[in-house]
């Protein structure tokens, strides 16, 4: 090992990123060393943003975001939590009036070569953990460093890292980063700094201690590095995004636990297990103070048995599983998600530099009282209220921009009205990048959403169904500027599209949008002509479209039939309904149409009153009596009955026809048709199947005989009586 002669002007604090013990030790070390400059691992071109860290409205977890100007998808994050040593160094510098600077490779170098990247390192500490007898690096660091902090530990950490670096090769990226750190340190000393503190990852500490040597070798390492124009800002972050399981490989799997370690100054384990009890009580579980006391005792006992100074996360987790969860891993997983990982969303000051779209999004959110938060939350909207209509339009606009802060959800409130919407709200840190990407379309949410819709219209492979979807979204988002352009495009594409199935796929969505005039007060007059035009073309082309379809194609077309029929009936327009029913009536007597479709259209015409129940029964009778194959007959039955069996419950004549046909099938014909019949009848509700079975038996209920054991019954009743305190 090389003997290092320390530079007394420089103190290197080798830390673990997001380590509460390291953070506490850094605060103590800075107090003792009292530097006049603090250099912190982070992109050096973010120095203009350092002053914002002193703002009272800056609340971790937050992250530095760097993105390529003009190409926001190329981005990188540098996260900070309240227990991050780097953040504590920034806070110490602000409190003591000391200059703080970042000293790592600038973001313009990082993004030029590596594109979308989350700053991360490997896990060189795994070898030290293994040497200490730990099978988990997290447990080793937690036991050795995080549970017992102190400024004196930095020299030992640096010495251990130096020994480890002799056995692990240094990759090119690390060489570039450390060369740049040394260059920044040289310049800082040259500018007159007398006492410089360097806060960096423990892995880099050996490269910065001792004499720095000449600058020429480092200059050669950095020569020729690629650059790209970048923009930087602070953005909110979350604890879950700090966890390695969520994609940020910082070697931290328990940010909620680490936050607790850093903020709980005394009775750490007791306070933690009290939080656990509170979470379980919120789930209506009977957790008492006695559970907490016993869990604390067990955690302390496990730590003593393992020769650890304090109980760590592993001891606390085992105590929680045994005492509070009764070995139930489902409950333990709940604790892990709610507390060990946790969910907290940071905030950044309003003066943080950002794109105009982000500023408009914040302003609109504040006006509409929509708070960005990390945890999922359902929002029920009543579209009869003006503010809820505006919220709905705002969330739909964000959806068009692919900023999925809110996603449609099922309401827990029972309502059959169309005036209610439910959204699942959850803000995620990556939305910050999505906002920057969306800023290419406009400076406000409304303008950007309208521009995005217009851009999609002009895509060369746009389909009619996609255009109708854009039309619906434009109405939901109240984008009149885009609506006219979408309508014109719909008319053009519909006129050129001769595939009836495409037209049928588009009509239900278009018809659904016609209802917005009632629900939201939206003017949908312009859509009526488009809907009528589509329906006329569907009815005209229906006879050709259903000709000669095989069974798989007929099944797909049946779905189109059902949706178009439902849309036309919901619209409740007399002329449109008559046109559609007449088109189906003109097809049902043809022999070149698949029986599945004929049966379906007969059922739809019967349900709408266009043909009588007697006429429908006669058609079913003819379909089952002609000399076609049994499987073809089964297809007709499937088309007629598919979707609901109540017709057989209430129409005994139809039931008798089908029952007679099934009973008269030959054995092989029955075997051939059974799968299709099972699929048809298996789709019925359980009550419908039960009622059909009773009707086939002539309305008689099957009597069941239950044998009773009097002796065992008396014994059971005696036990129940004793429990209730009654006498038998």
């Amino acid at each position: 090992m090389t003997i290092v002669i320390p530079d007394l002007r420089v103190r290197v604090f080798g830390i673990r990123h997001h380590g509460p013990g390291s953070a506490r030790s850094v605060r103590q070390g800075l107090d003792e060393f009292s530097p006049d400059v603090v250099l912190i691992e982070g992109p050096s071109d973010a120095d203009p943003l350092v002053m914002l860290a002193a703002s009272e409205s800056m609340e971790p977890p937050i992250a530095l975001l760097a993105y390529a100007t003009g190409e926001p998808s190329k981005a990188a994050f540098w996260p900070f939590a309240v227990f991050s040593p780097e953040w504590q160094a920034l806070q110490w510098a602000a409190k003591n009036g000391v200059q703080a600077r970042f000293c790592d490779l600038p973001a313009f170098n990082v993004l030029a070569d590596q594109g979308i990247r989350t700053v991360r390192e490997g896990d060189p500490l795994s070898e030290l953990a293994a040497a200490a007898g730990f099978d988990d690096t997290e447990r080793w660091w937690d036991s050795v460093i995080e549970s017992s902090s102190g400024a004196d530990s930095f020299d030992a950490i640096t010495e251990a890292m130096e020994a480890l670096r002799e056995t692990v090769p240094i990759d090119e990226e690390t060489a570039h980063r450390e060369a740049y750190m040394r260059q920044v340190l040289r310049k800082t000393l040259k500018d007159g700094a007398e006492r410089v503190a360097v806060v960096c990852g423990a892995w880099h500490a050996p490269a910065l201690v001792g004499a720095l040597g000449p600058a020429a070798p480092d200059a050669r390492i950095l020569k020729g590095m690629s650059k790209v124009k970048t923009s930087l800002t602070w953005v909110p972050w979350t604890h879950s995004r700090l966890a390695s399981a969520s994609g940020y490989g910082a070697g931290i799997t328990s940010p909620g636990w680490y936050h607790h370690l850093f903020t709980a100054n005394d009775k750490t384990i007791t306070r933690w297990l009290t939080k656990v009890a509170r979470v379980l009580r919120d789930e209506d579980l009977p957790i008492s103070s006695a559970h907490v006391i016993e869990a604390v005792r067990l955690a302390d006992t496990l730590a003593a048995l393992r020769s650890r100074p304090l109980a760590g996360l592993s001891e606390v987790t085992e105590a929680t599983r045994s005492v509070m969860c009764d070995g139930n891993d489902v409950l333990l997983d709940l604790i892990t998600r709610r507390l060990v990982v946790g969910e907290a969303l940071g905030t950044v000051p309003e003066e943080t530099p950002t794109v105009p779209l982000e500023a408009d999004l914040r302003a609109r959110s504040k006006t509409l009282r929509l708070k960005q938060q990390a945890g999922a939350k359902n929002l029920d909207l009543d579209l009869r209220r003006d503010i809820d209509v505006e919220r709905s339009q705002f969330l739909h606009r964000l959806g068009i921009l692919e900023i999925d802060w809110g996603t449609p959800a099922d309401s827990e409130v029972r309502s059959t009205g169309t005036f209610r919407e439910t959204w699942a709200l959850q803000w995620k840190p990556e939305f910050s990048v999505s906002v920057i990407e969306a800023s290419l379309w406009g400076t406000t949410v409304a303008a950007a959403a309208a521009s995005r819709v217009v851009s999609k219209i002009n895509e060369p492979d746009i389909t009619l169904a996609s255009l109708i979807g854009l039309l619906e979204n434009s109405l939901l988002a109240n984008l009149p500027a885009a609506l006219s352009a979408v309508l014109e495009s719909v008319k053009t594409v519909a006129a050129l599209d001769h595939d009836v199935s495409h037209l049928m796929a588009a009509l239900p969505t278009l018809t659904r949008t016609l209802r917005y005039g009632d629900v939201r007060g939206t003017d949908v007059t312009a859509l009526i002509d488009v809907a009528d035009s589509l329906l006329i073309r569907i009815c005209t082309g229906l006879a050709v479209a259903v000709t000669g379809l095989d069974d798989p194609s007929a099944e797909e077309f049946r779905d189109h039939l059902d949706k178009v029929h439902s849309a036309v009936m919901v619209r409740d327009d007399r002329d449109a309904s008559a046109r559609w029913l007449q088109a189906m009536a003109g097809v049902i007597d043809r022999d070149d149409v698949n029986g599945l479709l004929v049966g379906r259209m007969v059922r739809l015409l019967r349900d709408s009153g266009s043909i009588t129940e007697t006429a429908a029964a006669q058609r079913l009778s003819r379909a089952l009596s002609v000399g076609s194959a049994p499987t073809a007959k089964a297809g007709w039955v499937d088309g007629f009955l598919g979707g609901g069996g109540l017709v057989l419950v209430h129409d005994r004549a139809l039931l008798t026809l089908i029952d007679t046909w099934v009973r008269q099938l030959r054995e092989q014909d029955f075997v051939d048709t059974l799968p299709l019949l099972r699929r048809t009848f298996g789709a019925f509700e359980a009550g419908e199947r039960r009622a059909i079975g009773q009707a086939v038996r002539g309305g008689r209920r099957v009597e069941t005989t239950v044998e009773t054991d009097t002796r065992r019954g008396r014994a059971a009743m005696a036990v129940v009586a004793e429990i209730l305190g009654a006498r038998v």
Side-chain angles (χ1 to χ4, degrees):
M1 182 181 298
T2 305
I3 298 176
V4 177
I5 301 176
D7 187 337
L8 298 180
R9 297 176 298 170
V10 179
R11 182 80 163 91
V12 178
F13 299 97
I15 51 90
R16 184 185 187 187
H17 303 298
H18 315 307
S22 294
R24 195 173 289 110
S25 297
V26 162
R27 294 290 301 232
Q28 181 180 340
L30 291 174
D31 284 336
E32 295 175 357
F33 185 60
S34 188
D36 48 14
V37 176
V38 179
L39 299 181
I40 301 168
E41 183 179 323
S44 60
D45 46 353
D47 282 348
L49 300 174
V50 169
M51 65 181 68
L52 291 173
S55 173
E56 293 182 357
S57 55
M58 178 81 87
E59 182 179 349
I62 42 87
L64 279 171
L65 164 62
Y67 59 93
T69 306
E71 192 179 356
S73 59
K74 184 180 289 187
F77 295 96
W78 285 262
F80 298 84
V82 70
F83 51 82
S84 299
E86 300 94 332
W87 177 256
Q88 289 303 317
L90 285 172
Q91 296 300 294
W92 184 93
K95 179 181 178 181
N96 291 276
V98 172
Q99 181 185 8
R101 297 173 53 194
F102 291 113
C103 62
D104 206 346
L105 271 179
F108 57 71
N109 289 137
V110 174
L111 295 178
D113 295 329
Q114 302 191 18
I116 303 174
R117 172 179 177 271
T118 300
V119 176
R120 59 184 298 168
E121 299 175 7
D123 191 16
L125 302 177
S126 59
E127 294 188 22
L128 290 178
F134 286 79
D135 56 0
D136 181 15
T137 307
E138 187 83 11
R139 288 181 58 195
W140 172 78
W141 188 274
D142 181 67
S143 176
V144 175
I145 306 299
E146 303 304 342
S147 296
S148 55
S149 59
D152 296 337
S153 62
F154 289 114
D155 291 337
I157 293 172
T158 301
E159 184 178 348
M161 292 299 106
E162 185 175 4
L164 188 58
R165 284 167 65 102
E166 293 179 356
T167 62
V168 179
I170 304 301
D171 58 75
E172 183 179 5
E173 179 191 354
T174 301
H176 283 152
R177 294 178 61 191
E178 292 176 352
Y180 194 88
M181 291 181 190
R182 286 191 292 268
Q183 292 286 57
V184 172
L185 182 53
R186 289 188 184 97
K187 185 178 185 306
T188 302
L189 293 172
K190 184 178 179 180
D191 289 344
E194 296 181 357
R195 301 171 70 84
V196 180
V198 182
V199 180
C200 64
W203 181 247
H204 304 296
L208 302 177
V209 298
L212 296 174
D218 289 335
R220 285 194 295 268
I221 293 175
L222 298 171
K223 185 177 180 180
M225 290 192 68
S226 302
K227 297 181 181 180
V228 65
K229 187 177 180 180
T230 57
S231 301
L232 292 98
T233 187
W234 290 105
V235 296
W237 203 250
T238 63
H239 275 173
S240 64
R241 294 294 292 170
L242 288 170
S244 58
S246 64
Y248 179 73
I252 171 174
T253 58
S254 50
W257 166 253
Y258 276 6
H259 180 86
H260 178 77
L261 282 181
F262 187 76
T263 56
N265 296 322
D266 62 341
K267 299 181 179 179
T268 305
I269 305 304
T270 302
R271 294 179 186 276
W272 174 264
L273 290 171
T274 301
K275 289 182 179 180
V276 171
R278 188 177 298 118
V279 168
L280 294 176
R281 285 170 186 160
D282 289 342
E283 298 297 321
D284 294 328
L285 295 172
I287 303 298
S288 65
S289 301
H291 286 88
V292 176
I293 294 170
E294 289 304 316
V296 171
R297 288 175 178 172
L298 179 55
D300 290 341
T301 302
L302 288 173
L305 290 173
R306 295 167 181 174
S307 301
R308 297 182 180 177
L310 293 173
L313 180 58
S314 59
E315 288 78 24
V316 170
T317 300
E318 291 177 34
T320 300
R321 177 191 284 112
S322 300
V323 178
M324 294 185 170
C325 299
D326 291 328
N328 189 329
D329 285 337
V330 174
L331 294 179
L332 190 65
D333 180 65
L334 173 69
I335 299 301
T336 300
R337 286 185 286 107
R338 296 271 185 89
L339 291 180
V340 178
V341 174
E343 200 58 274
L345 179 68
T347 58
V348 298
E350 292 186 0
E351 60 269 23
T352 302
T354 185
V355 293
L357 181 64
E358 170 72 16
D360 181 66
L361 190 153
R362 291 182 188 175
R364 290 295 298 160
S365 301
K366 188 175 182 179
T367 300
L368 298 174
R369 300 196 292 274
L370 294 174
K371 184 179 180 181
Q372 295 178 359
Q373 57 184 26
K377 174 187 176 183
N378 274 10
L379 175 68
D380 286 309
L381 300 180
D382 184 342
L383 300 179
R384 295 169 297 185
R385 301 172 58 210
D386 291 341
I387 188 172
D388 282 353
V389 171
E390 292 183 20
R391 287 171 173 171
S392 174
Q393 293 170 352
F394 178 67
L395 293 172
H396 279 292
R397 290 169 182 173
L398 292 180
I400 291 173
L401 296 173
E402 299 180 3
I403 305 171
D404 298 324
W405 178 10
T407 55
D410 294 329
S411 176
E412 297 179 357
V413 180
R414 289 194 173 187
S415 173
T416 57
T418 56
F419 59 84
R420 185 176 297 281
E421 270 187 0
T422 300
W423 294 81
L425 300 182
Q426 184 176 20
W427 184 265
K428 299 179 181 178
E430 53 265 32
F431 291 160
S432 299
V433 175
S434 300
V435 172
I436 296 170
E437 290 178 323
S439 66
L440 299 175
W441 303 108
T443 57
T444 67
V445 174
S451 298
R452 186 70 183 106
V453 169
V454 173
S455 73
K456 289 182 177 181
I457 294 173
N458 298 322
E459 293 177 356
D461 56 347
I462 191 73
T463 63
L464 180 59
S466 298
L467 280 172
I468 298 298
L470 286 176
L471 182 63
E472 182 180 29
N473 289 336
S474 299
L475 282 168
L476 290 168
N478 190 23
L479 301 174
L483 187 59
S484 57
V486 180
L487 276 172
E488 289 301 320
S489 185
V490 166
K491 294 177 182 178
T492 302
V493 174
L496 299 175
D497 195 333
H498 302 291
D499 191 325
V500 174
S501 63
H502 292 173
L503 302 177
M504 296 178 77
L507 184 65
T509 303
L510 181 59
T511 304
R512 186 168 62 240
T513 63
L514 292 176
R515 305 177 69 188
Y516 298 156
D518 297 330
V519 179
R520 300 167 180 267
T522 307
D523 184 7
V524 294
T525 306
L527 302 184
I528 297 176
D529 293 339
V530 178
D532 288 339
S533 175
L534 282 182
L535 183 59
I536 291 172
R537 295 188 60 201
I538 290 171
C539 293
T540 303
L542 182 64
V544 176
V546 298
T547 303
L549 295 179
D550 58 13
D551 290 343
S553 299
E555 288 186 18
E556 183 179 351
F557 201 88
R558 178 175 62 172
D559 184 57
H560 289 312
L561 277 175
D562 288 342
K563 291 180 178 178
V564 169
H565 181 79
S566 176
V568 173
M569 295 299 105
V570 166
R571 183 179 170 185
D572 196 23
D573 180 274
R574 180 178 301 178
D575 293 338
S577 300
R579 183 179 295 114
W580 169 245
L581 295 173
Q582 184 179 359
M584 287 196 295
V587 175
I588 58 177
D589 291 322
R590 288 171 40 188
D591 295 332
D592 58 348
V593 180
N594 192 294
L596 178 72
L597 297 179
V598 174
R600 194 60 179 166
M601 286 187 280
V602 169
R603 172 66 181 276
L604 295 176
L605 289 169
R606 175 193 178 277
D607 291 348
S608 61
S610 296
I611 61 176
T612 63
E613 295 182 0
T614 302
Q618 290 173 349
R619 290 179 181 278
L620 174 60
S621 178
R622 288 199 301 268
L624 297 179
S625 62
V626 295
S628 56
T631 53
K633 298 176 184 179
W636 206 103
V637 172
D638 183 34
F640 186 80
L641 297 178
L646 281 178
V647 63
L648 295 181
V649 176
H650 299 296
D651 194 328
R652 295 301 176 89
L654 287 178
L655 179 59
T656 301
L657 280 173
I658 296 176
D659 184 40
T660 302
W661 168 63
V662 172
R663 285 190 288 109
Q664 292 177 349
L665 286 172
R666 294 176 298 178
E667 182 178 355
Q668 186 57 46
D669 292 339
F670 179 78
V671 171
D672 293 339
T673 60
L674 181 59
L676 185 57
L677 291 174
R678 287 189 63 181
R679 185 183 67 180
T680 302
F681 284 85
F684 295 166
E685 296 291 338
E688 294 175 348
R689 294 199 301 270
R690 189 181 305 110
I692 292 171
Q694 292 176 1
V696 170
R697 292 192 297 269
R700 300 187 308 274
R701 292 182 177 272
V702 177
E703 298 296 334
T704 57
T705 302
V706 180
E707 295 184 0
T708 59
D709 187 327
T710 306
R711 182 184 60 82
R712 296 176 63 186
R714 287 175 177 171
M717 290 300 297
V719 173
V720 173
E722 184 177 352
I723 293 174
L724 298 177
R727 294 182 179 180
V728 180

